[in-house]
Amino acid sequence: MYKILKAEMLADKIYLMDVEAPRIAKACQPGEFVIVKMDDRGERIPLTICNYDREKGSITIVFQTVGASTEKMAVLKTGDSFADVVGPLGNASEFVHEDIEELKKKKFLFVAGGVGTAPVYPQVRWMKEHGIDVDVIVGAKTKDLLILEDAMREQAGNLYITTDDGSYERKGLVTEVIKDLVLNQGKKYDVCVAIGPMIMMKFACLVTKELGIPTVVSLNPVMVDGTGMCGACRVTVGDEVKFACVDGPEFDGHLVNFEEAMKRQMMYKSEEGRAVLKEREGDTHHGGCGLCGGNE
């Protein structure tokens, strides 16, 4: 059992939990994720690791209620436990493996949309811990849905906040802030990391491609099973088929076929859609063991 050390609501339908998981906390790196199960019969829920405390032996997860399983998770409180927490899974962010002195020569821009602020946070924290100042853009639909502002402000070199409705700081989309920083303020970036809803990442990549900024995205939003067996997170990156949970979750955003991924994501939500995808993709439907039967 994995004890919940803290449980709180960050915003409407968005929750944060600190979970006792010493082995995961000791090994995890920015970009990786865990699979959480509430009980033996519970759904497997892949969640990016938002934060970790190696000394305390805990990890932090942030999730938004989007279905029955996450609704049940939201009811859990401090002192309750998860039946299982598996991880760390996926691949760590590429910069973790780069030479620190070379990284210090690069200028990073992190762009977070909505709940995507959670996976961006550990990356920005890692950068600060290694003496690298980065610029961060955080976008939300409205002020009430903004999360982790204070925590992010402590780690970011410069933090730019924007809300779709103008209820807090800037008004507009994160793409408009990217353009403003580069075109109006003369900022130059070597790498952009954009994490958030698929539609946000798609348009962020269109802007950064136009501006000539290499961009990394996290395709955690399309994951379902988290092991490559269900086929839900199958995506086309360049001319290759990838699975977000086993090959990612981070990819070159300028090579991701977002239109295909989003269409597939919608189809996977229905039983009929899953059947169509399984028939259409045959033996390549899944990316795992090959024995799961795709949508079974």
Side-chain angles (χ1 to χ4, degrees):
M1 303 295 283
Y2 295 78
K3 187 176 181 180
I4 298 173
L5 304 176
K6 181 174 77 171
E8 65 173 307
M9 185 170 72
L10 296 178
D12 183 36
K13 298 184 178 181
I14 303 176
Y15 299 83
L16 175 148
M17 291 181 178
D18 287 346
V19 183
E20 189 174 51
R23 286 184 293 179
I24 297 175
K26 182 179 180 180
C28 66
Q29 295 286 357
E32 297 176 329
F33 66 95
V34 294
I35 291 177
V36 175
K37 286 181 65 177
M38 285 179 290
D39 52 51
D40 292 339
R41 296 185 178 181
E43 180 183 358
R44 300 163 59 87
I45 304 174
L47 297 168
T48 305
I49 299 170
C50 172
N51 204 359
Y52 48 87
D53 188 323
R54 304 202 196 280
E55 292 185 5
K56 189 176 179 181
S58 66
I59 61 170
T60 301
I61 56 175
V62 171
F63 64 94
Q64 185 171 26
T65 54
V66 293
S69 294
T70 46
E71 289 282 359
K72 291 178 181 178
M73 276 182 61
V75 177
L76 298 176
K77 57 186 182 299
T78 301
D80 290 337
S81 298
F82 289 108
D84 203 7
V85 179
V86 179
L89 299 171
N91 299 294
S93 302
E94 287 188 7
F95 59 73
V96 170
H97 307 294
E98 292 186 43
D99 180 78
I100 297 299
E101 294 307 314
E102 290 300 314
L103 279 178
K104 289 180 178 179
K105 298 176 183 178
K106 298 180 181 179
K107 186 61 178 177
F108 279 78
L109 172 65
F110 287 85
V111 182
V115 184
T117 306
V120 164
Y121 175 77
Q123 300 194 25
V124 175
R125 172 191 161 186
W126 187 95
M127 288 287 184
K128 183 174 182 179
E129 288 176 344
H130 290 81
I132 304 170
D133 283 339
V134 301
D135 287 354
V136 182
I137 301 170
V138 173
K141 289 184 178 180
T142 182
K143 179 182 179 180
D144 293 338
L145 294 177
L146 185 67
I147 63 172
L148 304 175
E149 177 187 357
D150 292 340
M152 190 71 81
R153 198 174 294 279
E154 290 179 1
Q155 306 298 333
N158 294 295
L159 177 62
Y160 306 91
I161 296 176
T162 185
T163 49
D164 294 0
D165 63 358
S167 56
Y168 188 56
E169 296 207 5
R170 297 180 179 226
K171 179 180 181 180
L173 305 175
V174 294
T175 49
E176 296 170 19
V177 183
I178 296 173
K179 291 180 181 178
D180 178 53
L181 293 177
V182 176
L183 300 179
N184 298 329
Q185 299 188 37
K187 297 253 187 179
K188 297 184 182 298
Y189 297 104
D190 299 294
V191 182
C192 174
V193 177
I195 304 178
M198 292 292 284
I199 192 69
M200 183 226 88
M201 292 190 288
K202 171 191 171 181
F203 283 101
C205 286
L206 289 175
V207 169
T208 57
K209 187 173 184 178
E210 181 180 333
L211 296 173
I213 308 171
T215 301
V216 176
V217 297
S218 174
L219 298 187
N220 182 278
V222 301
M223 284 195 252
V224 174
D225 175 79
T227 63
M229 294 183 181
C230 69
C233 66
R234 172 188 172 122
V235 293
T236 300
V237 182
D239 58 356
E240 296 182 283
V241 172
K242 301 286 186 179
F243 291 83
C245 56
V246 292
D247 297 314
E250 296 182 0
F251 298 95
D252 182 336
H254 295 165
L255 297 180
V256 172
N257 187 327
F258 283 102
E259 292 294 338
E260 176 190 71
M262 290 188 291
K263 181 178 179 181
R264 198 172 190 287
Q265 186 180 28
M266 291 301 297
M267 290 181 68
Y268 205 86
K269 291 181 179 180
S270 70
E271 184 174 350
E272 180 181 3
R274 292 194 297 272
V276 169
L277 290 171
K278 181 182 176 183
E279 177 67 24
R280 180 185 300 167
E281 296 165 358
D283 292 340
T284 68
H285 178 65
H286 46 73
C289 66
L291 301 175
C292 66
N295 64 320
E296 295 178 2

